[in-house]
Amino acid sequence: MRTFLTWSDNINDRDGNKLPIYDLTFKPDGSQLIVGAGTEVLVYDVAEGELIQSLKAHKDNVYAVDYSADGTRFASGGADKQVIIWSAKMEGILKYSHSDSIQSLSHNPVTGQVISCTASDFGLWSPEQKSVTKHKVPARILTSSWTNDGQFFALGLFNGHVSIRSRSGEEKVRIERSAPVWSLQWCPSTEKESELLAITDWNQKLAFFQINGRQVGKERTLGYDPSCVSFFSSGDFAVVGGSDQKVTLWTAEGIKLGVVCEKESWVWCCKVKPKQNYVAVGCNDGSISLHQIVFNTVHGLYNDRYAFRENMTDVVIQHLVTDQRARIKCRDYVKKIAVYKDRLAVQLPDRIIIYELFHDDATDMHYRIKEKLQKKLDCNLLVVTSQHIILCLEKKLQMYQFNGDKEREWNLDSLIRYIKTIGGPKGQEGLLVGMKNGQIFQVFLNNPFPIPLIKQQTPVRCLDLNLSRTRLAVVDDHNVCLVYCLKTKELLFQEPNANSVAWNSELDDMLCYSGNGVLNVKTGAFLSHQQKMQGFVVGFKGSRIFCLHIYNMTTVDVPQSTSLERYLDKKEFEPGYKVACLGVTESDWRRLAMDSLEGLNFDVARKAFVRLRDTRFLDLIKLIDRMKNEGKYEMDNVIGEINTYVGKFHEAARLFKRAGNHVRAIQMYTELNMWEYATQIAAETNMDPVEILKRKAQTQQDRNDLIAAASTYIEVGDYLQAINIIGPSGAVDKLIEITRKLKKSDSKALSRCLYYFRKYNHHPYAAECLIKMGDITHLLSLHIELMQWEEAFRIAETYPEYSQQIYLPYATWLAMNDRYMEAQVNYRKAGRVDEAIKVLERLGRNSVTEWRFNDASYYYHLLSMENLQTIPNNVPYSKLSEAEQQSLHAFERHRETSQVYFAFYSIRKFIDEPFTSHLSESLLSMAAFLLNQTMKQSCPPGVSKAYILYALTKISRSIGAFKLARYGYERLQNFKIPSEWENLSDLSSLTIRGKPAYDRDDLLPVCYVCSTANPMLNAKGDHCIECKERFVRSMYSFQILPLAEFVLADGISDIEAASLISKEPTTKPDNLDLEKRGKKNRSKMTPEHELNRQIDGLDRSGSVLRLDKSDLAELRSRDVFIQDWGKLCLEKRYYKVSHADASIVMCPCCQHFFMDDEWNYQYLQEGACHFCRSKVETLSENL
């Protein structure tokens, strides 16, 4: 620590008497100094020390001055009991008074509130309030100070008390001292953990307290009466002045550091300039002075350990590589520091302490005291070695042992400017000593005689020795760096603009020097590499340069890429490797390794590749070593291998071929998948390229490049292997290309293709493959599976023998898609009549369930026809099997069921819907037919007798068939009918009794065979009650048609009868005569004829109309109808029209009869038979 007087001034009155300076204060920005001198307030310019203005407002001595923290005003007070508030422009703003003289003034740093202290009270004034709040105190107030946050203030009293009060003046804590407290101040730093109060009393003590009144540390004895104390802005230091006529510097922990200045009289006041190391001092003799305090950098460095002083009393040791830190609290003023290996020496004012590392570890930062040298020794420089302390005193060096014994002294001719420890055995270390006269000595601790090394003309500022101790770098006062060879003593080179220099401690030929904000790194004889850097160099290790800038030590990482590049350009691989070891990038190591390899320096290349962990190139170097050991070290092969690894493949192939190693060239190209070049070399040497291509394919397959592998296999003709590769990947487009290249004889390969096509559902390709294989069966199965029916039937047209394979699955598909009729047809084509019947039965049941009785009739008609189709054409009934007989009975049963549903459809529609297209007489016939059919047997599912009876009563009542209606109402009482029918039915059954008990005659059905008038209903069936002939009804209106059934006379065949009927008669026949003759020819029925009647379901016990040839010849063909089912087991049935004017039509498909006008109406409307729905084209074909 050094101090300098910046300026001073002496204050006298008009008579020349010295005016005591009781108080002074700085403006917060440090530009002005306010001084209370006599009755005046003086304002000084701090920079120049000139008096700016003298403020004369007080009538007596000014005792106190203080500036507000915001710099807008200051206050003064004195013996005139007045407090004056001044603006920053030195204009009076406010004045207020007390009853006693003003002893102290202090501004709140936050609110600007002013506390003014007197002998009996203190006042609080703030700009916001007009009045001054005053508080009484028990003793004279000597000093005051606010805390940094403005919440509390402390008062020092003459009775030795310290009163800590809140901002409102309420006392919170009291500290009792044994003597008047003349000065105190709160620490202004905001970085401290707690508020710290420094107190000085006239018991000659300095003490520190917390805001809660607890003392911090021990009291310090001053040895004089203190009058003032002032903290630095950082809070680390404080200055104290008093009766000893000195200003001393103390730490915040109470450690005395030194004297700032010495004066000729009492120091009444001293203040530290805000945020700067300047102290203003006012004395009793009227002197004012401003002193600058300079804190010197005290530090030491050895390799990567740097020790420096902090807070004047602490030593911080920093490991520059790991950035670890350790702090040693010496609790005394640290004057010098020295570091060497595991030793640390700290010089304090009255002793030197030597520390050593706790562990023998390069990174250990734990130090312990080894020795204490209890002597007060002055020196310019301090050096420590393993066993000694060396002190530099101007021109001499003194060596002390750690116990304090002086062992040796060296006296030199000039001032010593620089000392550096260069190491050596314990107790025999060497020192480099640089002199002001330019002489450089080497001093060994065990040698009393210094050894001269270099003599230059300029003073030495800095020096350093390289790793091998063969070259010395010196920086002189002219900022020139000179490098000498210690063997020849010659100057090797010099560099300008240098203020410090350091050799690299890990590389012999590299140094760095700094100057003018630039760092220079020089390697060997190459040009220096430059980069910007503040400060000066103090050490260089590896790629790290240690730089001291002001008080901070920083580490600069220096890239070694430039130095390495220069060595590589000159093919100097060994020094290049040493440079790389200092720290280069991965790419720099890669370049060193590759350049060394190409330069055939395998040792450096091996070490570089080890550093890169590149096992591939390490294997190459091992291969080259093996070639050397086996005697195969031919230069072309070696360089070829290197070129192979560095990517120069064509050059490598050229060298291999030149060496006659064609196999290695082919192997290289195949490993690189450069198959064209491999096959080219194979062609040049007449080698078989097939093996190369197979290896190519295998390699591509291993790399999962399946398409390329397959292409290669195709190229060599191995189609099956190509298929096995492509197939699992699903590349069907590539697979079809292979399929098209195959022959029909390649059945195994085609089968594999077909397998994958089917697996990945690519059916067009599968079909193409099957066509090529000629497998029609599987091709047809494929189309059937895909439901491609058009294609399947197209194939069936080409190959009819496979057509039967289609119908069954096609019928099943049709049934699943609700196309039941088409399904039924195809089931029949497939020979599965049972399935066709099941379809129709299902359709019939569903139609009944859904009340679609019209459709039910149609489906049961088809079902009857389907059963008929199962019966052989030319087999008589007696020879039918049991199943065929069942089919025949099913035909009759389903035929009758279809007629019932057909009639019931219109009846239900009449009941449920408001309109109907049928006449009442037709509906009555339908109801009568239904009742006649269901008298002896139960109704088919879905057919309701209640509906039939309700319709019967409703219609018969309306057309005058009262007897029939009465019968219907009586029968209806036995059925559960819908509720909406009940009232009407009950009412009608009563009202019908008022009607005649007979039916209209014209409504009674007449038998056209025996001309008998029949009742409306016949409990025995729908036939004549007289002749038992079954009524032939129209399948539209269900009216009884004028048709009479006849049989052929014995001896007339069906063919002969058809021939006779087809001829037109020569005379107009009389139907009545024919009937009479037919009756004459009646005879009892033969047993065979009786069987046929029973098969038809007719209960005829009477005679039958029988016609002979002459009778047949007289019939007109249009008046005769033949029901022919084309089955031998079913006889043909012949009908003739009974009335000449009757026009009747028989449907050739269902063989039901219609009135001609009814047929034409439905034919025009529907284009088909009203019952069986046979289309016009079908009817035409049948006709």
Side-chain angles (χ1 to χ4, degrees):
M1 181 188 73
R2 292 178 296 167
T3 60
F4 302 94
L5 176 64
T6 304
W7 56 266
S8 65
D9 194 11
N10 292 308
I11 309 301
N12 299 319
D13 59 10
R14 293 180 180 178
D15 300 330
N17 298 320
K18 298 179 180 180
L19 297 176
I21 308 300
Y22 293 112
D23 201 3
L24 50 78
T25 185
F26 282 97
K27 190 176 182 179
D29 62 2
S31 62
Q32 295 177 359
L33 178 67
I34 311 300
V35 181
T39 61
E40 299 178 358
V41 177
L42 306 179
V43 182
Y44 281 89
D45 178 67
V46 174
E48 302 296 334
E50 297 180 356
L51 180 62
I52 299 175
Q53 192 169 350
S54 176
L55 304 176
K56 300 176 181 179
H58 290 278
K59 298 178 181 180
D60 206 341
N61 289 334
V62 178
Y63 290 153
V65 291
D66 191 62
Y67 226 113
S68 64
D70 58 3
T72 58
R73 58 186 175 273
F74 62 92
S76 62
D80 61 354
K81 306 176 185 179
Q82 300 293 321
V83 176
I84 301 175
I85 308 298
W86 306 84
S87 70
K89 297 180 180 180
M90 292 163 283
E91 298 174 349
I93 300 174
L94 178 71
K95 180 188 288 188
Y96 66 89
S97 63
H98 282 267
S99 59
D100 291 306
S101 60
I102 309 302
Q103 299 294 316
S104 175
L105 292 170
S106 181
H107 278 84
N108 188 312
V110 178
T111 65
Q113 189 178 18
V114 177
I115 179 174
S116 53
C117 305
T118 69
S120 59
D121 62 3
F122 65 89
L124 293 172
W125 172 86
S126 64
E128 294 81 13
Q129 65 185 30
K130 297 180 179 180
S131 61
V132 179
T133 305
K134 296 182 180 180
H135 301 266
K136 293 291 184 178
V137 291
R140 177 189 297 273
I141 302 175
L142 301 177
T143 181
S144 63
S145 177
W146 286 90
T147 58
N148 192 50
D149 58 4
Q151 298 297 318
F152 301 92
F153 61 87
L155 302 177
L157 282 68
F158 189 79
N159 62 1
H161 292 176
V162 176
S163 177
I164 299 176
R165 297 173 178 259
S166 66
R167 189 171 60 181
S168 62
E170 181 184 359
E171 186 176 68
K172 297 295 184 181
V173 179
R174 179 180 295 178
I175 301 171
E176 296 183 359
R177 306 290 293 171
S178 59
V181 177
W182 198 265
S183 179
L184 55 78
Q185 187 185 14
W186 291 100
C187 177
S189 174
T190 58
E191 297 179 359
K192 300 295 183 181
E193 295 181 358
S194 60
E195 300 285 354
L196 183 67
L197 178 64
I199 300 175
T200 60
D201 59 38
W202 275 18
N203 203 18
Q204 299 185 353
K205 299 291 186 180
L206 170 64
F208 297 91
F209 290 86
Q210 294 178 351
I211 197 169
N212 58 8
R214 183 177 299 174
Q215 185 173 340
V216 179
K218 296 180 180 179
E219 294 182 348
R220 304 294 177 176
T221 301
L222 299 175
Y224 58 89
D225 294 328
S227 60
C228 56
V229 61
S230 178
F231 271 103
F232 280 65
S233 298
S234 63
D236 294 330
F237 308 106
V239 291
V240 180
S243 62
D244 65 342
Q245 303 179 5
K246 297 178 182 178
V247 176
T248 54
L249 181 66
W250 296 77
T251 67
E253 296 176 350
I255 300 171
K256 183 180 178 181
L257 299 179
V259 177
V260 176
C261 63
E262 295 185 9
K263 310 304 288 186
E264 295 179 356
S265 65
W266 268 46
V267 176
W268 279 114
C269 56
C270 60
K271 290 289 178 66
V272 178
K273 185 178 180 181
K275 300 180 182 180
Q276 295 188 31
N277 298 334
Y278 288 86
V279 179
V281 181
C283 300
N284 190 55
D285 60 1
S287 63
I288 304 170
S289 58
L290 183 67
H291 300 267
Q292 181 184 9
I293 302 176
V294 178
F295 297 101
N296 295 328
T297 303
V298 177
H299 61 99
L301 175 71
Y302 185 82
N303 288 343
D304 49 15
R305 290 183 183 267
Y306 174 64
F308 61 94
R309 181 179 67 185
E310 190 172 76
N311 297 334
M312 305 298 287
T313 60
D314 296 347
V315 176
V316 177
I317 305 97
Q318 178 182 358
H319 197 290
L320 298 176
V321 176
T322 64
D323 203 31
Q324 293 177 284
R325 292 193 176 200
R327 181 183 294 273
I328 299 176
K329 290 184 173 293
C330 299
R331 304 187 184 280
D332 206 344
Y333 176 46
V334 177
K335 298 177 68 176
K336 295 286 187 298
I337 298 174
V339 182
Y340 175 74
K341 293 184 178 179
D342 61 341
R343 296 287 190 264
L344 170 66
V346 179
Q347 184 183 18
L348 303 177
D350 56 353
R351 63 194 182 278
I352 298 175
I353 303 177
I354 295 93
Y355 297 87
E356 67 177 355
L357 285 174
F358 193 79
H359 298 288
D360 188 13
D361 185 1
T363 60
D364 183 35
M365 298 298 292
H366 297 83
Y367 283 87
R368 62 184 177 185
I369 297 176
K370 178 176 177 60
E371 296 287 348
K372 291 185 179 180
L373 201 158
Q374 298 290 347
K375 285 186 177 182
K376 183 177 180 180
L377 300 172
D378 294 327
C379 64
N380 299 327
L381 299 171
L382 176 68
V383 177
V384 65
T385 62
S386 59
Q387 298 176 356
H388 297 88
I389 290 291
I390 295 93
L391 305 178
C392 172
L393 298 170
E394 301 294 337
K395 297 182 180 181
K396 63 181 178 181
L397 296 173
Q398 294 178 342
M399 183 174 70
Y400 289 86
Q401 295 180 359
F402 290 161
N403 59 9
D405 296 337
K406 182 178 178 181
E407 185 174 336
R408 184 169 285 114
E409 181 176 299
W410 294 271
N411 291 303
L412 303 174
D413 297 335
S414 178
L415 293 175
I416 298 173
R417 297 287 298 276
Y418 194 87
I419 300 176
K420 183 175 181 65
T421 307
I422 59 175
K426 289 185 178 181
Q428 302 177 21
E429 290 88 353
L431 305 177
L432 286 179
V433 181
M435 314 296 292
K436 187 175 182 180
N437 63 1
Q439 191 81 12
I440 300 172
F441 290 95
Q442 187 173 18
V443 177
F444 290 99
L445 300 187
N446 61 342
N447 188 351
F449 303 103
I451 302 172
L453 294 179
I454 299 294
K455 178 67 174 74
Q456 62 182 26
Q457 301 301 319
T458 54
V460 176
R461 177 186 292 179
C462 178
L463 56 82
D464 196 14
L465 194 65
N466 72 339
L467 181 63
S468 62
R469 306 191 180 194
T470 58
R471 280 175 286 182
L472 179 68
V474 182
V475 176
D476 61 14
D477 282 352
H478 294 36
N479 295 332
V480 177
C481 177
L482 304 101
V483 178
Y484 298 93
C485 176
L486 293 182
K487 292 183 179 179
T488 62
K489 310 297 182 183
E490 64 175 330
L491 177 66
L492 299 178
F493 60 88
Q494 62 183 23
E495 298 288 344
N497 301 320
N499 57 21
S500 62
V501 67
W503 286 95
N504 196 314
S505 61
E506 295 182 358
L507 185 62
D508 190 59
D509 206 22
M510 182 179 292
L511 63 80
C512 66
Y513 58 93
S514 61
N516 295 337
V518 177
L519 171 66
N520 296 270
V521 180
K522 186 174 178 63
T523 305
F526 302 122
L527 295 176
S528 299
H529 167 70
Q530 295 182 340
Q531 68 181 62
K532 291 183 179 181
M533 186 193 73
Q534 295 295 324
F536 57 92
V537 171
V538 296
F540 191 7
K541 183 177 182 179
S543 61
R544 291 184 172 90
I545 293 177
F546 308 127
C547 168
L548 181 64
H549 180 52
I550 307 177
Y551 303 114
N552 297 321
M553 179 68 74
T554 58
T555 302
V556 179
D557 287 325
V558 179
Q560 303 293 343
S561 301
T562 303
S563 301
L564 175 61
E565 183 178 354
R566 290 169 177 171
Y567 279 121
L568 294 181
D569 290 342
K570 290 192 173 184
K571 305 297 181 183
E572 298 178 7
F573 302 115
E574 294 291 345
Y577 173 74
K578 294 179 181 179
V579 170
C581 289
L582 299 181
V584 294
T585 63
E586 199 80 7
S587 59
D588 293 330
W589 276 107
R590 177 68 60 183
R591 183 181 174 188
L592 172 63
M594 299 306 297
D595 287 2
S596 302
L597 183 63
E598 294 178 1
L600 303 181
N601 191 327
F602 301 120
D603 292 335
V604 173
R606 181 184 291 105
K607 290 185 285 187
F609 284 125
V610 168
R611 170 66 176 73
L612 291 169
R613 298 181 181 181
D614 193 331
T615 57
R616 191 168 67 94
F617 279 98
L618 289 174
D619 291 340
L620 171 61
I621 295 173
K622 289 180 181 179
L623 174 63
I624 294 173
D625 291 340
R626 189 163 60 251
M627 292 170 65
K628 288 181 180 179
N629 296 333
E630 294 176 358
K632 300 178 181 179
Y633 187 82
E634 187 176 343
M635 190 57 63
D636 285 343
N637 282 331
V638 172
I639 299 176
E641 292 292 346
I642 294 174
N643 287 330
T644 299
Y645 276 76
V646 300
K648 300 178 181 179
F649 305 118
H650 299 307
E651 178 64 19
R654 187 184 64 82
L655 293 171
F656 286 139
K657 289 192 291 184
R658 192 169 70 180
N661 196 355
H662 295 87
V663 175
R664 180 67 183 99
I666 293 174
Q667 181 185 2
M668 177 192 70
Y669 280 131
T670 54
E671 290 174 353
L672 295 171
N673 295 333
M674 301 172 72
W675 307 103
E676 295 180 3
Y677 297 106
T679 53
Q680 182 179 348
I681 296 175
E684 292 175 359
T685 56
N686 296 324
M687 295 178 64
D688 188 4
V690 173
E691 291 300 322
I692 297 175
L693 292 175
K694 287 185 177 181
R695 290 174 60 185
K696 173 184 177 181
Q698 186 61 46
T699 302
Q700 291 168 336
Q701 187 175 355
D702 294 340
R703 292 172 57 190
N704 206 28
D705 190 358
L706 303 179
I707 300 299
S711 300
T712 306
Y713 278 121
I714 292 171
E715 187 177 351
V716 298
D718 194 348
Y719 293 108
L720 187 58
Q721 187 66 24
I723 293 168
N724 291 332
I725 291 174
I726 294 177
S729 67
V732 292
D733 292 333
K734 189 70 177 177
L735 205 60
I736 193 62
E737 294 179 7
I738 300 175
T739 303
R740 291 165 182 166
K741 293 179 181 179
L742 294 171
K743 298 178 181 179
K744 187 176 181 180
S745 57
D746 298 327
S747 57
K748 187 174 181 180
L750 287 171
S751 298
R752 292 298 293 171
C753 290
L754 177 63
Y755 167 76
Y756 288 116
F757 289 145
R758 295 295 300 273
K759 179 180 179 181
Y760 295 108
N761 298 321
H762 206 295
H763 304 101
Y765 288 167
E768 184 176 346
C769 184
L770 286 168
I771 291 172
K772 188 158 192 175
M773 295 172 66
D775 191 345
I776 304 303
T777 301
H778 286 91
L779 177 61
L780 198 57
S781 300
L782 175 64
H783 287 305
I784 291 171
E785 180 184 342
L786 298 176
M787 293 177 288
Q788 297 175 349
W789 305 110
E790 293 183 3
E791 293 293 331
F793 282 110
R794 191 176 296 113
I795 294 172
E797 291 177 2
T798 307
Y799 303 95
E801 63 272 18
Y802 297 100
S803 60
Q804 204 63 25
Q805 184 180 343
I806 306 174
Y807 294 125
L808 181 60
Y810 182 53
T812 305
W813 177 80
L814 290 171
M816 292 175 63
N817 287 273
D818 299 336
R819 295 166 63 179
Y820 297 105
M821 300 311 300
E822 297 176 67
Q824 184 258 344
V825 172
N826 282 275
Y827 274 130
R828 192 186 312 122
K829 291 181 180 179
R832 295 296 301 274
V833 179
D834 57 335
E835 291 292 336
I837 292 173
K838 287 181 181 179
V839 169
L840 291 174
E841 288 177 346
R842 190 181 306 117
L843 287 173
R845 287 194 300 271
N846 293 343
S847 299
V848 170
T849 303
E850 298 173 2
W851 296 355
R852 295 183 292 107
F853 297 104
N854 193 25
D855 292 335
S857 171
Y858 173 64
Y859 293 136
Y860 276 99
H861 161 70
L862 294 178
L863 190 58
S864 67
M865 300 304 294
E866 196 66 45
N867 280 278
L868 183 63
Q869 294 294 330
T870 61
I871 302 172
N873 295 335
N874 301 317
V875 177
Y877 178 82
S878 59
K879 294 184 179 180
L880 291 178
S881 65
E882 183 178 355
E884 291 170 347
Q885 290 181 9
Q886 290 177 358
S887 297
L888 183 60
H889 290 298
F891 161 71
E892 293 291 344
R893 183 176 67 255
H894 293 319
R895 181 176 174 83
E896 291 180 2
T897 303
S898 68
Q899 294 172 1
V900 171
Y901 280 129
F902 191 75
F904 185 72
Y905 167 73
S906 298
I907 293 297
R908 188 179 181 92
K909 189 175 181 181
F910 167 71
I911 297 297
D912 293 341
E913 296 182 6
F915 302 103
T916 179
S917 59
H918 291 282
L919 297 174
S920 298
E921 291 78 1
S922 298
L923 293 172
L924 183 63
S925 299
M926 294 177 189
F929 167 75
L930 290 173
L931 288 174
N932 291 338
Q933 287 291 99
T934 58
M935 284 289 186
K936 291 183 178 181
Q937 56 189 12
S938 60
C939 294
V943 175
S944 171
K945 281 190 178 181
Y947 263 84
I948 299 171
L949 290 171
Y950 185 73
L952 180 71
T953 57
K954 190 175 181 180
I955 298 167
S956 60
R957 182 185 179 91
S958 65
I959 63 175
F962 302 116
K963 181 180 178 182
L964 182 62
R966 185 175 298 173
Y967 171 79
Y969 284 125
E970 291 175 357
R971 290 288 305 276
L972 198 59
Q973 297 300 319
N974 300 324
F975 292 90
K976 182 176 178 58
I977 60 177
S979 58
E980 59 267 20
W981 295 358
E982 289 180 357
N983 293 334
L984 181 61
S985 178
D986 293 342
L987 181 61
S988 299
S989 64
L990 293 175
T991 58
I992 198 64
R993 298 181 184 276
K995 301 294 181 179
Y998 56 87
D999 296 327
R1000 283 171 37 194
D1001 293 338
D1002 59 333
L1003 296 178
L1004 298 177
V1006 177
C1007 175
Y1008 289 98
V1009 176
C1010 65
S1011 300
T1012 302
N1014 286 266
M1016 297 294 293
L1017 297 178
N1018 185 358
K1020 295 182 179 180
D1022 191 36
H1023 55 79
C1024 179
I1025 59 174
E1026 180 65 26
C1027 66
K1028 309 302 183 197
E1029 286 291 334
R1030 189 166 185 172
F1031 296 137
V1032 179
R1033 295 180 180 270
S1034 168
M1035 277 297 112
Y1036 177 77
S1037 62
F1038 279 80
Q1039 296 286 345
I1040 298 175
L1041 296 176
L1043 287 177
E1045 184 178 0
F1046 66 89
V1047 296
L1048 302 178
D1050 296 337
I1052 302 175
S1053 65
D1054 292 330
I1055 297 174
E1056 186 177 0
S1059 175
L1060 292 172
I1061 294 171
S1062 63
K1063 296 178 180 180
E1064 289 297 324
T1066 56
T1067 61
K1068 185 176 179 179
D1070 185 353
N1071 290 332
L1072 184 59
D1073 293 338
L1074 288 175
E1075 289 181 9
K1076 290 180 178 178
R1077 280 182 289 176
K1079 289 179 181 179
K1080 294 178 180 179
N1081 296 328
R1082 289 182 183 181
S1083 60
K1084 293 293 182 180
M1085 291 184 293
T1086 63
E1088 183 178 355
H1089 191 73
E1090 180 65 22
L1091 178 61
N1092 290 335
R1093 290 294 186 183
Q1094 292 178 3
I1095 292 176
D1096 290 338
L1098 300 174
D1099 185 17
R1100 292 186 176 181
S1101 58
S1103 59
V1104 62
L1105 182 63
R1106 187 181 301 275
L1107 300 181
D1108 56 15
K1109 292 182 179 180
S1110 60
D1111 296 332
L1112 293 175
E1114 295 177 1
L1115 294 176
R1116 292 180 301 179
S1117 59
R1118 66 176 179 270
D1119 294 334
V1120 178
F1121 297 96
I1122 304 173
Q1123 282 186 344
D1124 183 8
W1125 297 108
K1127 305 295 180 180
L1128 188 59
C1129 60
L1130 286 175
E1131 290 184 353
K1132 293 181 181 180
R1133 300 181 69 172
Y1134 296 88
Y1135 297 89
K1136 71 179 184 65
V1137 178
S1138 301
H1139 293 283
D1141 55 350
S1143 181
I1144 299 174
V1145 176
M1146 184 184 73
C1147 175
C1149 293
C1150 62
Q1151 299 192 22
H1152 282 109
F1153 297 96
F1154 301 86
M1155 296 298 293
D1156 185 61
D1157 54 348
E1158 296 172 350
W1159 172 265
N1160 291 332
Y1161 172 74
Q1162 292 298 325
Y1163 184 83
L1164 293 174
Q1165 187 177 22
E1166 301 175 5
C1169 174
H1170 183 56
F1171 183 85
C1172 68
R1173 303 181 186 181
S1174 299
K1175 298 296 181 180
V1176 177
E1177 295 80 1
T1178 307
L1179 294 174
S1180 301
E1181 292 174 2
N1182 291 333
L1183 290 173

